[in-house]
Amino acid sequence: MTQVKIWAVVPAAGVGKRMQADRPKQYLPLVGKTVLEQTINRLLQADVFSAIAVAISKEDPYWPELECSKHKKVVTAAGGKERADSVLSALKSLTERASDNDWVLVHDAARPCLTSADIHYLIGSLKDDAVGGILALSSHDTLKNVEGINITETIDRSVIWRVLTPQMFRYGMLKSALEAAEGNSVITDEASALEMQGLQPKIVEGRPDNIKITRPEDLALAQFYMEQQQ
Ligand code: CTP
Ligand code: MG
């Protein structure tokens, strides 16, 4: 039997509307590099991936200027309309090289604080699993169901998890789940595509510093975490 490989997919074709900056958030500066370079460096440093497929928008003038776009382990794929389309496009760019049984870790370009420790912990936890799963965080705050501004009930916190990336699935299973879900806007992460197939991905508790840069104030927080991690 051939050795199971591990691939990384980075959706980086968003416009970053909530960030309200002059360019997509993955190209904003963070600790001496762009956000996207920091993210790709974290994946390269983990030293487990056969290649990293990055989905980039057709109108993106910034990507070819980055050193890492020419790295021998980095593959460029076309971005799509929604995040799931970008992920599927990046998966397809690996078709010649990846086997159905290989693992793929899909990681947001906008999460530059990912640690090698979390990458290795996720892989170690799921490598013998039939389906795969995702990094997630439990909620420390009490959670409420609300209608308008009226609280209707308190939610059992122990059954609620916040979804992070990477999300780790078998190449073949993930590709067919995303193909089956194409055009379905409810698919905001890879796990939901597999859930639609009736499968139950697992959660693996991740580190709280693996934040997604979404709003302007998140950049300062990401900088703080990166400096703490050094
Ligand atoms: N993404 C993508 N292709 C899309 C939409 C999003 O590759 N069509 C990527 C983003 O670049 C980001 C990740 O998916 O790395 C998570 O999405 P999000 O944080 O929502 O980023 P944006 O869609 O760029 O931001 P916003 O929703 O504020 O516009
Ligand atoms: Mg978005």
Side-chain angles (χ1 to χ4, degrees), residues 11-28 35 57 60 62 80-81 109-110 212-216 218-219:
V15 294
K17 206 164 82 200
R18 286 168 288 181
M19 199 69 194
Q20 299 172 306
D22 65 346
R23 68 195 74 181
K25 61 189 179 184
Q26 55 273 31
Y27 297 111
L28 293 173
V35 169
S57 162
D60 181 336
Y62 305 101
K81 189 162 162 281
K212 186 168 69 122
I213 293 176
T214 306
R215 295 171 188 278
D218 297 330
L219 265 182

PDB file of all heavy atoms in Angstrom, residues 11-28 35 57 60 62 80-81 109-110 212-216 218-219:
ATOM      1  N   PRO A  11      -7.927  28.454   1.502  1.00  0.00           N
ATOM      2  CA  PRO A  11      -8.800  29.371   0.776  1.00  0.00           C
ATOM      3  C   PRO A  11      -8.372  30.811   1.082  1.00  0.00           C
ATOM      4  O   PRO A  11      -8.390  31.235   2.241  1.00  0.00           O
ATOM      5  CB  PRO A  11     -10.202  29.067   1.313  1.00  0.00           C
ATOM      6  CG  PRO A  11      -9.984  28.403   2.638  1.00  0.00           C
ATOM      7  CD  PRO A  11      -8.614  27.787   2.618  1.00  0.00           C
ATOM      8  N   ALA A  12      -7.951  31.547   0.052  1.00  0.00           N
ATOM      9  CA  ALA A  12      -7.440  32.916   0.231  1.00  0.00           C
ATOM     10  C   ALA A  12      -8.003  33.833  -0.849  1.00  0.00           C
ATOM     11  O   ALA A  12      -7.334  34.742  -1.325  1.00  0.00           O
ATOM     12  CB  ALA A  12      -5.918  32.909   0.194  1.00  0.00           C
ATOM     13  N   ALA A  13      -9.232  33.569  -1.251  1.00  0.00           N
ATOM     14  CA  ALA A  13      -9.825  34.320  -2.366  1.00  0.00           C
ATOM     15  C   ALA A  13     -10.960  35.238  -1.917  1.00  0.00           C
ATOM     16  O   ALA A  13     -11.737  35.718  -2.735  1.00  0.00           O
ATOM     17  CB  ALA A  13     -10.320  33.351  -3.444  1.00  0.00           C
ATOM     18  N   GLY A  14     -11.051  35.491  -0.624  1.00  0.00           N
ATOM     19  CA  GLY A  14     -12.104  36.385  -0.124  1.00  0.00           C
ATOM     20  C   GLY A  14     -11.723  37.846  -0.295  1.00  0.00           C
ATOM     21  O   GLY A  14     -10.564  38.174  -0.533  1.00  0.00           O
ATOM     22  N   VAL A  15     -12.717  38.728  -0.150  1.00  0.00           N
ATOM     23  CA  VAL A  15     -12.459  40.161  -0.309  1.00  0.00           C
ATOM     24  C   VAL A  15     -12.293  40.868   1.042  1.00  0.00           C
ATOM     25  O   VAL A  15     -11.841  42.005   1.107  1.00  0.00           O
ATOM     26  CB  VAL A  15     -13.580  40.868  -1.119  1.00  0.00           C
ATOM     27  CG1 VAL A  15     -13.584  40.359  -2.549  1.00  0.00           C
ATOM     28  CG2 VAL A  15     -14.935  40.676  -0.457  1.00  0.00           C
ATOM     29  N   GLY A  16     -12.674  40.200   2.128  1.00  0.00           N
ATOM     30  CA  GLY A  16     -12.507  40.796   3.459  1.00  0.00           C
ATOM     31  C   GLY A  16     -13.383  42.003   3.695  1.00  0.00           C
ATOM     32  O   GLY A  16     -12.934  43.026   4.204  1.00  0.00           O
ATOM     33  N   LYS A  17     -14.663  41.853   3.372  1.00  0.00           N
ATOM     34  CA  LYS A  17     -15.594  42.984   3.464  1.00  0.00           C
ATOM     35  C   LYS A  17     -15.669  43.570   4.886  1.00  0.00           C
ATOM     36  O   LYS A  17     -15.625  44.779   5.076  1.00  0.00           O
ATOM     37  CB  LYS A  17     -16.984  42.537   2.999  1.00  0.00           C
ATOM     38  CG  LYS A  17     -17.838  43.664   2.449  1.00  0.00           C
ATOM     39  CD  LYS A  17     -19.029  43.155   1.666  1.00  0.00           C
ATOM     40  CE  LYS A  17     -20.153  42.774   2.618  1.00  0.00           C
ATOM     41  NZ  LYS A  17     -21.131  41.868   2.027  1.00  0.00           N
ATOM     42  N   ARG A  18     -15.742  42.685   5.885  1.00  0.00           N
ATOM     43  CA  ARG A  18     -15.906  43.158   7.268  1.00  0.00           C
ATOM     44  C   ARG A  18     -14.671  43.885   7.799  1.00  0.00           C
ATOM     45  O   ARG A  18     -14.727  44.585   8.787  1.00  0.00           O
ATOM     46  CB  ARG A  18     -16.268  41.975   8.176  1.00  0.00           C
ATOM     47  CG  ARG A  18     -17.696  41.498   7.985  1.00  0.00           C
ATOM     48  CD  ARG A  18     -17.934  40.170   8.662  1.00  0.00           C
ATOM     49  NE  ARG A  18     -17.271  39.069   7.966  1.00  0.00           N
ATOM     50  CZ  ARG A  18     -17.336  37.804   8.341  1.00  0.00           C
ATOM     51  NH1 ARG A  18     -18.017  37.476   9.428  1.00  0.00           N
ATOM     52  NH2 ARG A  18     -16.713  36.858   7.648  1.00  0.00           N
ATOM     53  N   MET A  19     -13.552  43.682   7.137  1.00  0.00           N
ATOM     54  CA  MET A  19     -12.302  44.314   7.567  1.00  0.00           C
ATOM     55  C   MET A  19     -12.248  45.785   7.137  1.00  0.00           C
ATOM     56  O   MET A  19     -11.514  46.577   7.720  1.00  0.00           O
ATOM     57  CB  MET A  19     -11.140  43.543   6.932  1.00  0.00           C
ATOM     58  CG  MET A  19      -9.825  43.752   7.598  1.00  0.00           C
ATOM     59  SD  MET A  19      -9.844  42.994   9.224  1.00  0.00           S
ATOM     60  CE  MET A  19      -8.377  43.769   9.882  1.00  0.00           C
ATOM     61  N   GLN A  20     -12.999  46.119   6.115  1.00  0.00           N
ATOM     62  CA  GLN A  20     -13.088  47.517   5.626  1.00  0.00           C
ATOM     63  C   GLN A  20     -11.720  48.143   5.364  1.00  0.00           C
ATOM     64  O   GLN A  20     -11.477  49.292   5.720  1.00  0.00           O
ATOM     65  CB  GLN A  20     -13.859  48.374   6.640  1.00  0.00           C
ATOM     66  CG  GLN A  20     -15.278  47.886   6.855  1.00  0.00           C
ATOM     67  CD  GLN A  20     -15.948  48.630   7.991  1.00  0.00           C
ATOM     68  OE1 GLN A  20     -15.449  48.698   9.113  1.00  0.00           O
ATOM     69  NE2 GLN A  20     -17.100  49.214   7.711  1.00  0.00           N
ATOM     70  N   ALA A  21     -10.823  47.384   4.753  1.00  0.00           N
ATOM     71  CA  ALA A  21      -9.490  47.915   4.445  1.00  0.00           C
ATOM     72  C   ALA A  21      -9.385  48.228   2.951  1.00  0.00           C
ATOM     73  O   ALA A  21     -10.308  47.947   2.192  1.00  0.00           O
ATOM     74  CB  ALA A  21      -8.430  46.894   4.854  1.00  0.00           C
ATOM     75  N   ASP A  22      -8.235  48.753   2.531  1.00  0.00           N
ATOM     76  CA  ASP A  22      -8.062  49.117   1.116  1.00  0.00           C
ATOM     77  C   ASP A  22      -7.671  47.928   0.255  1.00  0.00           C
ATOM     78  O   ASP A  22      -7.479  48.052  -0.941  1.00  0.00           O
ATOM     79  CB  ASP A  22      -7.023  50.242   0.986  1.00  0.00           C
ATOM     80  CG  ASP A  22      -5.625  49.815   1.426  1.00  0.00           C
ATOM     81  OD1 ASP A  22      -5.503  48.745   2.080  1.00  0.00           O
ATOM     82  OD2 ASP A  22      -4.661  50.543   1.127  1.00  0.00           O
ATOM     83  N   ARG A  23      -7.498  46.761   0.871  1.00  0.00           N
ATOM     84  CA  ARG A  23      -7.153  45.547   0.124  1.00  0.00           C
ATOM     85  C   ARG A  23      -7.685  44.334   0.906  1.00  0.00           C
ATOM     86  O   ARG A  23      -8.020  44.477   2.084  1.00  0.00           O
ATOM     87  CB  ARG A  23      -5.641  45.443  -0.045  1.00  0.00           C
ATOM     88  CG  ARG A  23      -4.904  45.184   1.254  1.00  0.00           C
ATOM     89  CD  ARG A  23      -3.429  45.428   1.153  1.00  0.00           C
ATOM     90  NE  ARG A  23      -3.175  46.869   1.122  1.00  0.00           N
ATOM     91  CZ  ARG A  23      -1.964  47.405   1.014  1.00  0.00           C
ATOM     92  NH1 ARG A  23      -0.902  46.638   0.889  1.00  0.00           N
ATOM     93  NH2 ARG A  23      -1.807  48.711   1.043  1.00  0.00           N
ATOM     94  N   PRO A  24      -7.751  43.159   0.288  1.00  0.00           N
ATOM     95  CA  PRO A  24      -8.232  41.987   1.024  1.00  0.00           C
ATOM     96  C   PRO A  24      -7.382  41.757   2.281  1.00  0.00           C
ATOM     97  O   PRO A  24      -6.170  41.959   2.255  1.00  0.00           O
ATOM     98  CB  PRO A  24      -8.046  40.845   0.026  1.00  0.00           C
ATOM     99  CG  PRO A  24      -8.064  41.504  -1.317  1.00  0.00           C
ATOM    100  CD  PRO A  24      -7.425  42.837  -1.124  1.00  0.00           C
ATOM    101  N   LYS A  25      -8.016  41.352   3.367  1.00  0.00           N
ATOM    102  CA  LYS A  25      -7.337  41.297   4.678  1.00  0.00           C
ATOM    103  C   LYS A  25      -6.108  40.396   4.686  1.00  0.00           C
ATOM    104  O   LYS A  25      -5.178  40.618   5.460  1.00  0.00           O
ATOM    105  CB  LYS A  25      -8.328  40.851   5.755  1.00  0.00           C
ATOM    106  CG  LYS A  25      -8.933  39.464   5.526  1.00  0.00           C
ATOM    107  CD  LYS A  25     -10.061  39.203   6.502  1.00  0.00           C
ATOM    108  CE  LYS A  25     -10.691  37.846   6.262  1.00  0.00           C
ATOM    109  NZ  LYS A  25     -11.860  37.621   7.139  1.00  0.00           N
ATOM    110  N   GLN A  26      -6.080  39.380   3.799  1.00  0.00           N
ATOM    111  CA  GLN A  26      -4.916  38.474   3.785  1.00  0.00           C
ATOM    112  C   GLN A  26      -3.640  39.182   3.329  1.00  0.00           C
ATOM    113  O   GLN A  26      -2.555  38.647   3.485  1.00  0.00           O
ATOM    114  CB  GLN A  26      -5.195  37.212   2.954  1.00  0.00           C
ATOM    115  CG  GLN A  26      -5.633  37.405   1.527  1.00  0.00           C
ATOM    116  CD  GLN A  26      -7.135  37.583   1.389  1.00  0.00           C
ATOM    117  OE1 GLN A  26      -7.806  38.108   2.283  1.00  0.00           O
ATOM    118  NE2 GLN A  26      -7.699  37.163   0.259  1.00  0.00           N
ATOM    119  N   TYR A  27      -3.773  40.386   2.793  1.00  0.00           N
ATOM    120  CA  TYR A  27      -2.588  41.140   2.345  1.00  0.00           C
ATOM    121  C   TYR A  27      -2.251  42.319   3.244  1.00  0.00           C
ATOM    122  O   TYR A  27      -1.372  43.119   2.927  1.00  0.00           O
ATOM    123  CB  TYR A  27      -2.780  41.594   0.892  1.00  0.00           C
ATOM    124  CG  TYR A  27      -2.894  40.398  -0.029  1.00  0.00           C
ATOM    125  CD1 TYR A  27      -4.095  40.094  -0.655  1.00  0.00           C
ATOM    126  CD2 TYR A  27      -1.816  39.532  -0.208  1.00  0.00           C
ATOM    127  CE1 TYR A  27      -4.218  38.968  -1.457  1.00  0.00           C
ATOM    128  CE2 TYR A  27      -1.925  38.407  -1.013  1.00  0.00           C
ATOM    129  CZ  TYR A  27      -3.126  38.134  -1.631  1.00  0.00           C
ATOM    130  OH  TYR A  27      -3.241  37.012  -2.415  1.00  0.00           O
ATOM    131  N   LEU A  28      -2.918  42.422   4.386  1.00  0.00           N
ATOM    132  CA  LEU A  28      -2.560  43.486   5.340  1.00  0.00           C
ATOM    133  C   LEU A  28      -1.289  43.075   6.088  1.00  0.00           C
ATOM    134  O   LEU A  28      -1.017  41.886   6.264  1.00  0.00           O
ATOM    135  CB  LEU A  28      -3.721  43.708   6.316  1.00  0.00           C
ATOM    136  CG  LEU A  28      -4.986  44.291   5.668  1.00  0.00           C
ATOM    137  CD1 LEU A  28      -6.133  44.322   6.670  1.00  0.00           C
ATOM    138  CD2 LEU A  28      -4.727  45.690   5.111  1.00  0.00           C
ATOM    139  N   VAL A  35      -0.463  38.919   6.197  1.00  0.00           N
ATOM    140  CA  VAL A  35      -1.209  37.874   6.919  1.00  0.00           C
ATOM    141  C   VAL A  35      -1.066  36.523   6.207  1.00  0.00           C
ATOM    142  O   VAL A  35      -0.787  35.495   6.834  1.00  0.00           O
ATOM    143  CB  VAL A  35      -2.699  38.281   7.038  1.00  0.00           C
ATOM    144  CG1 VAL A  35      -3.553  37.122   7.527  1.00  0.00           C
ATOM    145  CG2 VAL A  35      -2.846  39.493   7.963  1.00  0.00           C
ATOM    146  N   SER A  57      -7.979  34.690  -5.878  1.00  0.00           N
ATOM    147  CA  SER A  57      -8.923  35.334  -6.798  1.00  0.00           C
ATOM    148  C   SER A  57      -8.236  35.732  -8.103  1.00  0.00           C
ATOM    149  O   SER A  57      -7.072  36.126  -8.109  1.00  0.00           O
ATOM    150  CB  SER A  57      -9.513  36.567  -6.106  1.00  0.00           C
ATOM    151  OG  SER A  57     -10.093  37.423  -7.053  1.00  0.00           O
ATOM    152  N   ASP A  60      -6.503  39.185  -8.332  1.00  0.00           N
ATOM    153  CA  ASP A  60      -5.593  39.457  -7.219  1.00  0.00           C
ATOM    154  C   ASP A  60      -4.183  39.834  -7.709  1.00  0.00           C
ATOM    155  O   ASP A  60      -3.456  38.982  -8.207  1.00  0.00           O
ATOM    156  CB  ASP A  60      -5.545  38.191  -6.349  1.00  0.00           C
ATOM    157  CG  ASP A  60      -4.662  38.342  -5.133  1.00  0.00           C
ATOM    158  OD1 ASP A  60      -3.754  39.187  -5.140  1.00  0.00           O
ATOM    159  OD2 ASP A  60      -4.885  37.592  -4.171  1.00  0.00           O
ATOM    160  N   TYR A  62      -1.761  40.972  -5.751  1.00  0.00           N
ATOM    161  CA  TYR A  62      -0.801  40.930  -4.636  1.00  0.00           C
ATOM    162  C   TYR A  62      -0.051  39.596  -4.547  1.00  0.00           C
ATOM    163  O   TYR A  62       1.133  39.554  -4.217  1.00  0.00           O
ATOM    164  CB  TYR A  62      -1.508  41.173  -3.300  1.00  0.00           C
ATOM    165  CG  TYR A  62      -2.302  42.453  -3.258  1.00  0.00           C
ATOM    166  CD1 TYR A  62      -3.687  42.441  -3.430  1.00  0.00           C
ATOM    167  CD2 TYR A  62      -1.669  43.681  -3.065  1.00  0.00           C
ATOM    168  CE1 TYR A  62      -4.422  43.615  -3.381  1.00  0.00           C
ATOM    169  CE2 TYR A  62      -2.393  44.864  -3.025  1.00  0.00           C
ATOM    170  CZ  TYR A  62      -3.775  44.820  -3.185  1.00  0.00           C
ATOM    171  OH  TYR A  62      -4.492  45.984  -3.147  1.00  0.00           O
ATOM    172  N   GLY A  80     -12.979  30.791  -5.993  1.00  0.00           N
ATOM    173  CA  GLY A  80     -14.360  30.656  -6.456  1.00  0.00           C
ATOM    174  C   GLY A  80     -15.253  31.680  -5.792  1.00  0.00           C
ATOM    175  O   GLY A  80     -14.794  32.495  -4.991  1.00  0.00           O
ATOM    176  N   LYS A  81     -16.536  31.596  -6.119  1.00  0.00           N
ATOM    177  CA  LYS A  81     -17.517  32.573  -5.639  1.00  0.00           C
ATOM    178  C   LYS A  81     -17.636  32.516  -4.108  1.00  0.00           C
ATOM    179  O   LYS A  81     -17.550  33.528  -3.434  1.00  0.00           O
ATOM    180  CB  LYS A  81     -18.859  32.271  -6.298  1.00  0.00           C
ATOM    181  CG  LYS A  81     -19.918  33.321  -6.079  1.00  0.00           C
ATOM    182  CD  LYS A  81     -21.051  33.176  -7.092  1.00  0.00           C
ATOM    183  CE  LYS A  81     -22.296  33.902  -6.659  1.00  0.00           C
ATOM    184  NZ  LYS A  81     -23.092  33.161  -5.633  1.00  0.00           N
ATOM    185  N   ALA A 109      -6.887  31.338   5.221  1.00  0.00           N
ATOM    186  CA  ALA A 109      -5.778  32.283   5.056  1.00  0.00           C
ATOM    187  C   ALA A 109      -5.765  33.300   6.202  1.00  0.00           C
ATOM    188  O   ALA A 109      -4.720  33.804   6.583  1.00  0.00           O
ATOM    189  CB  ALA A 109      -5.918  33.014   3.729  1.00  0.00           C
ATOM    190  N   ALA A 110      -6.943  33.586   6.736  1.00  0.00           N
ATOM    191  CA  ALA A 110      -7.098  34.634   7.745  1.00  0.00           C
ATOM    192  C   ALA A 110      -6.810  34.154   9.175  1.00  0.00           C
ATOM    193  O   ALA A 110      -7.127  34.839  10.146  1.00  0.00           O
ATOM    194  CB  ALA A 110      -8.506  35.207   7.654  1.00  0.00           C
ATOM    195  N   LYS A 212      -9.414  34.054  13.894  1.00  0.00           N
ATOM    196  CA  LYS A 212      -9.594  34.456  12.497  1.00  0.00           C
ATOM    197  C   LYS A 212      -9.647  35.979  12.438  1.00  0.00           C
ATOM    198  O   LYS A 212     -10.410  36.612  13.173  1.00  0.00           O
ATOM    199  CB  LYS A 212     -10.874  33.880  11.907  1.00  0.00           C
ATOM    200  CG  LYS A 212     -10.979  34.174  10.400  1.00  0.00           C
ATOM    201  CD  LYS A 212     -12.073  33.372   9.753  1.00  0.00           C
ATOM    202  CE  LYS A 212     -13.425  33.841  10.229  1.00  0.00           C
ATOM    203  NZ  LYS A 212     -14.314  34.294   9.163  1.00  0.00           N
ATOM    204  N   ILE A 213      -8.827  36.549  11.589  1.00  0.00           N
ATOM    205  CA  ILE A 213      -8.865  37.998  11.416  1.00  0.00           C
ATOM    206  C   ILE A 213     -10.111  38.334  10.604  1.00  0.00           C
ATOM    207  O   ILE A 213     -10.247  37.924   9.448  1.00  0.00           O
ATOM    208  CB  ILE A 213      -7.576  38.499  10.737  1.00  0.00           C
ATOM    209  CG1 ILE A 213      -6.411  38.277  11.700  1.00  0.00           C
ATOM    210  CG2 ILE A 213      -7.700  39.963  10.332  1.00  0.00           C
ATOM    211  CD1 ILE A 213      -5.069  38.621  11.155  1.00  0.00           C
ATOM    212  N   THR A 214     -11.052  39.011  11.249  1.00  0.00           N
ATOM    213  CA  THR A 214     -12.333  39.327  10.613  1.00  0.00           C
ATOM    214  C   THR A 214     -12.576  40.830  10.611  1.00  0.00           C
ATOM    215  O   THR A 214     -12.951  41.390   9.582  1.00  0.00           O
ATOM    216  CB  THR A 214     -13.493  38.623  11.363  1.00  0.00           C
ATOM    217  OG1 THR A 214     -13.204  37.228  11.432  1.00  0.00           O
ATOM    218  CG2 THR A 214     -14.813  38.810  10.626  1.00  0.00           C
ATOM    219  N   ARG A 215     -12.388  41.461  11.759  1.00  0.00           N
ATOM    220  CA  ARG A 215     -12.637  42.898  11.901  1.00  0.00           C
ATOM    221  C   ARG A 215     -11.333  43.628  12.238  1.00  0.00           C
ATOM    222  O   ARG A 215     -10.372  42.993  12.682  1.00  0.00           O
ATOM    223  CB  ARG A 215     -13.663  43.130  13.018  1.00  0.00           C
ATOM    224  CG  ARG A 215     -15.013  42.554  12.656  1.00  0.00           C
ATOM    225  CD  ARG A 215     -15.955  42.579  13.850  1.00  0.00           C
ATOM    226  NE  ARG A 215     -17.180  41.854  13.541  1.00  0.00           N
ATOM    227  CZ  ARG A 215     -18.200  42.379  12.866  1.00  0.00           C
ATOM    228  NH1 ARG A 215     -18.162  43.616  12.452  1.00  0.00           N
ATOM    229  NH2 ARG A 215     -19.266  41.648  12.618  1.00  0.00           N
ATOM    230  N   PRO A 216     -11.305  44.963  12.015  1.00  0.00           N
ATOM    231  CA  PRO A 216     -10.061  45.724  12.199  1.00  0.00           C
ATOM    232  C   PRO A 216      -9.344  45.449  13.519  1.00  0.00           C
ATOM    233  O   PRO A 216      -8.122  45.304  13.542  1.00  0.00           O
ATOM    234  CB  PRO A 216     -10.532  47.185  12.105  1.00  0.00           C
ATOM    235  CG  PRO A 216     -11.717  47.126  11.200  1.00  0.00           C
ATOM    236  CD  PRO A 216     -12.397  45.822  11.503  1.00  0.00           C
ATOM    237  N   ASP A 218      -9.012  42.855  15.163  1.00  0.00           N
ATOM    238  CA  ASP A 218      -8.395  41.520  15.241  1.00  0.00           C
ATOM    239  C   ASP A 218      -6.908  41.532  14.872  1.00  0.00           C
ATOM    240  O   ASP A 218      -6.156  40.651  15.302  1.00  0.00           O
ATOM    241  CB  ASP A 218      -9.127  40.526  14.331  1.00  0.00           C
ATOM    242  CG  ASP A 218     -10.563  40.312  14.763  1.00  0.00           C
ATOM    243  OD1 ASP A 218     -10.845  40.430  15.972  1.00  0.00           O
ATOM    244  OD2 ASP A 218     -11.403  40.044  13.887  1.00  0.00           O
ATOM    245  N   LEU A 219      -6.476  42.509  14.077  1.00  0.00           N
ATOM    246  CA  LEU A 219      -5.062  42.555  13.669  1.00  0.00           C
ATOM    247  C   LEU A 219      -4.145  42.769  14.867  1.00  0.00           C
ATOM    248  O   LEU A 219      -3.109  42.108  14.992  1.00  0.00           O
ATOM    249  CB  LEU A 219      -4.837  43.675  12.652  1.00  0.00           C
ATOM    250  CG  LEU A 219      -4.879  43.303  11.173  1.00  0.00           C
ATOM    251  CD1 LEU A 219      -4.580  44.543  10.343  1.00  0.00           C
ATOM    252  CD2 LEU A 219      -3.885  42.193  10.822  1.00  0.00           C
TER     253      LEU A 219
END
